[in-house]
Amino acid sequence: MQYLESLNPPQREAVETTEGPLLVLAGAGTGKTRVLTTRLAHILSLRKATPHQIMAVTFTNKAASEMRERVSSLLGGLPVEGWWLGTFHALCVKMLRRHAKLVGLESNFTIIDTDDQVRLIKQLMEAENLDTKKWNPKMVASLISDYKDKAKKPSELNANDVGGLCDGKLITLYRQYQSRLRVVNACDFGDLLLHMITIFKDPENKQILDQYRNQFQYILVDEYQDTNVAQYLWLRLLAMREDGRASNICCVGDDDQSIYGWRGAEVGNILRFEQDFPGAKIIKLEQNYRSTKNILAAASHVIAENESRLGKTLWAEAEEGEKLIVKGLWDGAAEARFVGEEIESLHSKKHSLNDIAILVRAGFQTREFEERFMALSIPYKVIGGLRFYERAEIRDALAYFRVTAQPNDDLALERIINTPKRGLGASTIQMLQHTARASQISLYEAIRTVTQTDELRPKVKETLIELVDKFDFWRDQMSKIHHCELAKMILDESGYVDMWKQDKAPDSPGRLENLKELVSAMEEFESFSQFLEHVSLVMENQQKDHAEMVTIMTLHGAKGLEFPIVFLPGWEEGLFPSQRSMDETGLKGLEEERRLAYVGITRARERLYISHAANRMVYGKWVNAMPSRFLAALPDEVVDVQNEVFGRSSHWDSSGQNNHRVSAGADPLPNIVRPTTNDAGDTLAVGARIFHDKFGYGKILHIDGNKIDISFEKAGRKRVLKNFIKKA
DNA sequence: ACTAAGATAGTTTTT
DNA sequence: CTATCTTAGT
């Protein structure tokens, strides 16, 4: 049991407390994953349970596979087989395939994604004559998902819950959506949990719930702070015994890192743990093994401003380390330039680019850095963005596969019914959908029915018969030929590959490549349906690259990761904390933003740069921004403030204590920013976009009497007289 | 039925 | 600003 030796006392206690409910509050960098995996290995090596009797729930597939590897390596490299390890959704699918009949589904049901969801809802709204401009189908879809996250079925909602949404038809829509899903034998992500909860709650199915309760002797849940109500209820159903005692459930999480409230996560779940699971023990992991003292101090001071937290105090034996660099810059471009230069200098000092990460609040912020890095030839990778399975050609191909495997999959059929173009237009499709809805049958069945009549033009009828015949043929081949061969056959015979071959767009060769990659990815799976299941649950692309690169990603994407050097750009009011978060959920939103800041800071091991720009282009308009309030929380003694912005903002000044934080080199006096007016009457201010007859468009950098310094888009930096320019 | 020009809206994201 | 959707025209 040498694996216990390397743990600190609370870590060891968390591993050895195997019986009864346990909450492990693990601060950032305190060895959370290590405790989880060691605990699992411990239970297995003491033979307290067989793998089959263990359930381990993670939030991502990536976390699940990491856990699989780490546990087996702790046990001497032997793979652990037969345990229930996976995401909430993956575990629910496994269960639901067994009991699908109980909620009116066939066990080969399809799992639809957000895109399909929205399209289906839009159709239903149009059928109800709802104005899809007034009520955005996307919004309606997310409302329904929210109800599902809260484990609320249509029957459990009343008019008070939905108000006047969708002209009071929201509950009706939700109900129709569910019944339509049943007809097409499909589930959305929320349903996976909700259906299982429905099954578990029904006294008729008591023996099913009992069977699982008996089976899972040990339950482990990672990232508990990110669970939503439905996930919580599902867990509780499995983890509570009939006599009201909790079984051996161990939840690991950090309330300070709860950053998914906007998609239904309830911090309350972790805050309420002791009440929910009577007799629960709570162990706090507070020793940080990741960051320097300075970085930790910064993180602690930021998060300390939050009201609702359980309260942990991180400490470290590490060195103080370098001070954090807080840099104020003129605009987003200057910020990108600064980061680029700093990275070049770090790289020349033998820091690997792999050690460097840029963590942004929102996806669009990556662009400025990408442009700059391309200009400087700094290799970089953007994590996130559109994923492999989200590309149009991949989704189309998958839609073909889905209809082959499960003809009632309307959403998939609609997607490709006229791709490639077959002359099946909106009117034909509408007629088919109408028939399908009216007779409560799937689109595929509707096509079969309608093509037996003369309601359609002969040409259209012919095309439809040909199409369904092809699908029938492919379905027949499923049991006869290898699934990769079948995939190639489908893509070929459907004309889909030809469609891209004939497309002259510059990206079509790449799309054909992607299709090839898709087919080769199928090799790893045993069957067509197994592959489809994998794809619907695992949307991430697992391509590994060996080259040295800087990582650019969102703060959300960075949770659970660490880097020696971290850049946190865009710390400005409105951007971070995000205005929208604060507008939508007020203090709750602000606190979540602050946790996000905490997550960002604690990703850094050795060096941390935080930057903010005074001016930023937002949706094509220049806006000036104040430094983020989170900066004011950083203790003076751990930061080195370098402000390149001449006029310091009122917020920065108003925080009083920060007034002395201007680096020695800055000389703000000669650079007072004062707008001027030209003879044409245009107000000319620094940062304004202007036009010059000879040099074209540009931006005002500096005003010096009637002479103005301008950065022209084409001509570069020039000094011109104010009367030669006008406002753009 | 298809294409091209206008309108519109626009975090964070996994499953 | 730009990606996406809608509408009008052929």
Side-chain angles (χ1 to χ4, degrees), chain A residues 179 331 356 372 380 396 407 432 452 514 557 711:
Chain A
S179 85
D331 62 7
I356 304 174
R372 193 67 205 142
Y380 68 89
D396 288 342
L432 291 167
Q452 278 168 19
N514 289 339
S711 161

Side-chain angles (χ1 to χ4, degrees), chain A residues 64 75 78 86 88 112 135 141 143 272 331 342 361 436 589 593 631:
Chain A
L75 293 171
L78 285 171
F88 279 101
I112 65 165
W135 309 106
L143 281 169
R272 248 190 6 250
D331 62 7
E342 207 60 38
R361 175 64 182 84
E593 294 288 305
L631 287 170

